[in-house]
Amino acid sequence: METKAFQAESKKLLDMMIHSIYTHKEIFLRELISNASDAIDKLYFKSLTDDSVGMSKEDFAIRIDVDKDARTITVSDNGIGMTAEELENDLGTIAASGSLGFKTDNQLGDDQQIIGQFGVGFYSAFMVAKRVTVYTRAFGSDKAYKWQSEGVEGYTIEETQKDDVGTRIVLELMDDTDDEGYSEFLEPYRIQGLVKRYSDYIRFPIKMEMTHRQLKEGTTDEYEETTTLDTLNSMVPLWRKNRSELTDDDYNSFYQEKFVDYMPPMAYKHVRNEGMPCYDALLYIPSKAPFDYYTREFEKGLQLYSNGVLIMDKCADLLPDYYSFVRGLVDSEDLSLNISREMLQHDRQLKAIARSIEKTIKSELVHMIKTDRDKYEKFFEAFGTQLKYGVYSDYGMHKEELQDLLLFESSRGEKPITLQEYVDAMPEGQKEIYYASGASREAVAALPQTEAVLAKGYEILYFTTPVDEFAAKQMMTYKEKAFKSVTESDLDLSTEEEKKALEEKQTESKDLLAEMGKALEGKVERVVLSSRLKSHAVCLTSEGDLTLEMQQVLNAMPTDKKVQAKLVMEVNPEHPVFARLQTLAGTEKVAKYAKLLYDQALLLEGMPIEDPAEFSELICELM
Ligand code: ADP
């Protein structure tokens, strides 16, 4: 019999299969089952209009058999089968799965990814088999054929005997080596696991003989074995079922099982989009951030199915970074099983799905804020920081999308508030959104700079996570109200008369303030009298964009470039300490007082002081 050569491209693909890395090998079963399911689909559709098929939906099935002695796995279907011509064309070339773009050999790494994540069809059988034999009889034909190949060398086709319509594919497994074992694929439980993982939602039953061990009736230690033909797949995916048939429990346990979480999700959404793009999705918000959520190791993404068949475990393109906490899956009929990763990234269908999913997530979150505030606060505790990073990242591109999802602590009380709530509560005359940054609620509340703003009856947002202030700087405004740090030097809270009075005092104490400024050269730009302090003697404010807190955050990052905020030290003219300073003007004590006050201001900010030894000496001396 003549051995025919594979087409050049097919040969290359086969070569890739044979040398594929081990962890990808298991997908061969998914590929064969998908093909079998497609073939059954074709005959099933024919049966709807053609009585000569003589089969009803219940008759169709895929069957898997393993034979440990012969080391074979057999996948059989009663689908449409292949004619001699189809065998030649479909299995002799890879034209049918032509979406796999070929690259040069030095990009083998990428090819391996494709094998792992996407289908490469029938040829994947050669990842585990040393010989593949296909017996097939097409519907409407009385002849059957046998196709056989041992890999790159080529294949043979000959007539054979087969009584029923359909296809049977026999894989003779490769021998185990020191590095790689193939015998595992002869274990029914391993096969069952693979079917569950990759092919659970195939619409036709996938059957295999399974042996079960049970206690013999009436005994406590005698077992008997029974063998039954089991259906391994659950067939109808949860997301294809009607929402009305399903309970919260169904959705929650599906999540916990599928995404291995010991806690039920905080929220879920079952999406069925029948328009364009057409897809089903199950989206979940976990109750807790995974332990690696805020690290580089965390991988975002949704599972991607094409018509019930898993094609990718974590499709990152389906989720923007700021919603990376969402888990779940998307199933679309319009995606090809054999699409490559590179093509997927540019796939318009996938992009449309991603946009649609983003909208869904947003509207779910908005809904949660409105209808279940407690839950939203819990959600925000777990994932809010990610939303704030989202506002800040990509040059603020997503701030419009995200700003109404943010919560901040505030001077109002224990409960965090939205920006809209802040703006709604602004009294007449307040033009800006005030905020103060610090390590905790308590630390911020104790800041001297907050006093004057609170005295005015204005609310202050408490920025207690490092990203808060960066997000605010990126937003610049909310509803046309600018964000303003209470530590900014030009905090304009006084009336005209108050300003005038302060200016006069300032001129009177000009020399004293200059003396103090000199003592703090390199630390602050200047020392001025303050209108914002009530009970405290001193505070630090900043000029320009960079505040002291931002300086702190930025300088804690692992970079050589250190930044420095432009600081101004403000002294309370009504404070006894200032009265004392006035009596000391012109003496060397002014410099010592100035340094002490500066350190004191740093401590109030929750910042480390630069020279603790000097600080402590100065205190002793002045005491
Ligand atoms: P794809 O499934 O992407 O087309 P494959 O290499 O897996 O690529 O299969 C090539 C073709 O061989 C299929 O399109 C189909 O026409 C045919 N084929 C494969 N398996 C079967 C089967 N079990 N029954 C009928 N036809 C099959």
Side-chain angles (χ1 to χ4, degrees), residues 315-440:
C315 181
D317 297 323
L318 284 169
L319 286 177
D321 279 340
Y322 40 89
Y323 295 149
S324 60
F325 49 82
V326 174
R327 311 213 57 181
L329 54 89
V330 170
D331 189 357
S332 176
E333 294 181 19
D334 304 346
L335 288 169
S336 152
L337 182 62
N338 285 335
I339 191 166
S340 79
R341 190 169 49 115
E342 285 75 9
M343 290 180 62
L344 197 59
Q345 268 168 3
H346 301 114
D347 191 82
R348 279 175 52 205
Q349 177 74 9
L350 193 80
K351 283 199 171 127
I353 295 174
R355 271 195 303 275
S356 164
I357 282 178
E358 174 168 355
K359 272 197 201 131
T360 306
I361 297 171
K362 166 91 183 270
S363 71
E364 278 306 293
L365 292 176
V366 168
H367 182 74
M368 205 199 292
I369 293 196
K370 285 193 189 132
T371 58
D372 195 343
R373 183 60 173 253
D374 285 343
K375 196 181 199 179
Y376 191 79
E377 282 168 21
K378 282 208 193 83
F379 155 75
F380 203 82
E381 229 168 77
F383 302 110
T385 304
Q386 186 66 8
L387 296 182
K388 288 172 176 174
Y389 278 122
V391 168
Y392 172 67
S393 61
D394 295 337
Y395 308 100
M397 230 162 82
H398 320 289
K399 59 187 181 187
E400 297 287 325
E401 163 88 9
L402 299 174
Q403 58 188 6
D404 285 313
L405 298 177
L406 304 184
L407 293 181
F408 294 98
E409 306 243 24
S410 95
S411 55
R412 192 185 300 188
E414 291 291 317
K415 288 227 151 214
I417 61 165
T418 64
L419 293 174
Q420 186 63 53
E421 285 158 358
Y422 182 98
V423 169
D424 288 344
M426 278 168 71
E428 186 126 14
Q430 182 182 350
K431 294 190 182 60
E432 289 163 322
I433 299 173
Y434 294 101
Y435 69 83
S437 311
S440 67

Side-chain angles (χ1 to χ4, degrees), residues 13 31-40 42 75-77 79-82 86-87 89-91 93-99 119-124 134 136 166-169 336-338:
L13 181 60
E31 298 297 310
L32 297 184
I33 289 174
S34 290
N35 282 348
S37 168
D38 289 348
I40 292 178
K42 284 179 197 156
V75 179
S76 324
D77 66 71
I80 192 114
M82 283 174 273
E86 282 165 345
L87 257 186
N89 289 337
D90 295 343
L91 300 189
T93 72
I94 66 139
S97 26
S99 53
V120 277
F122 170 75
Y123 286 176
S124 58
V134 180
T136 187
T167 302
R168 185 168 81 245
I169 299 179
S336 152
L337 182 62
N338 285 335

Side-chain angles (χ1 to χ4, degrees), residues 490-508:
D490 62 339
L491 198 65
D492 192 11
L493 291 173
S494 319
T495 62
E496 287 309 312
E497 288 108 77
E498 285 168 339
K499 276 187 207 159
K500 227 169 145 199
L502 188 72
E503 242 163 63
E504 273 165 28
K505 271 193 210 150
Q506 184 104 356
T507 327
E508 269 168 38

Side-chain angles (χ1 to χ4, degrees), residues 238-284:
L238 187 81
W239 59 93
R240 291 273 177 89
K241 290 188 181 157
N242 270 330
R243 269 170 290 203
S244 55
E245 289 170 37
L246 296 163
T247 63
D248 286 352
D249 247 11
D250 290 331
Y251 285 111
N252 290 352
S253 44
F254 179 82
Y255 164 82
Q256 286 183 264
E257 201 178 303
K258 187 132 197 131
F259 299 103
V260 201
D261 194 341
Y262 67 97
M263 301 230 297
M266 182 181 301
Y268 68 83
K269 176 83 182 166
H270 186 176
V271 188
R272 174 154 296 164
N273 218 37
E274 269 159 7
M276 284 289 287
C278 180
Y279 71 95
D280 294 326
L282 276 180
L283 305 172
Y284 291 95

Side-chain angles (χ1 to χ4, degrees), residues 138-170:
F139 171 73
S141 160
D142 49 10
K143 281 192 179 149
Y145 297 92
K146 171 177 158 186
W147 179 102
Q148 192 168 58
S149 169
E150 290 176 21
V152 281
E153 292 319 319
Y155 59 93
T156 57
I157 295 181
E158 62 186 297
E159 248 191 84
T160 191
Q161 195 56 42
K162 191 174 186 299
D163 295 337
D164 42 5
V165 168
T167 302
R168 185 168 81 245
I169 299 179
V170 182

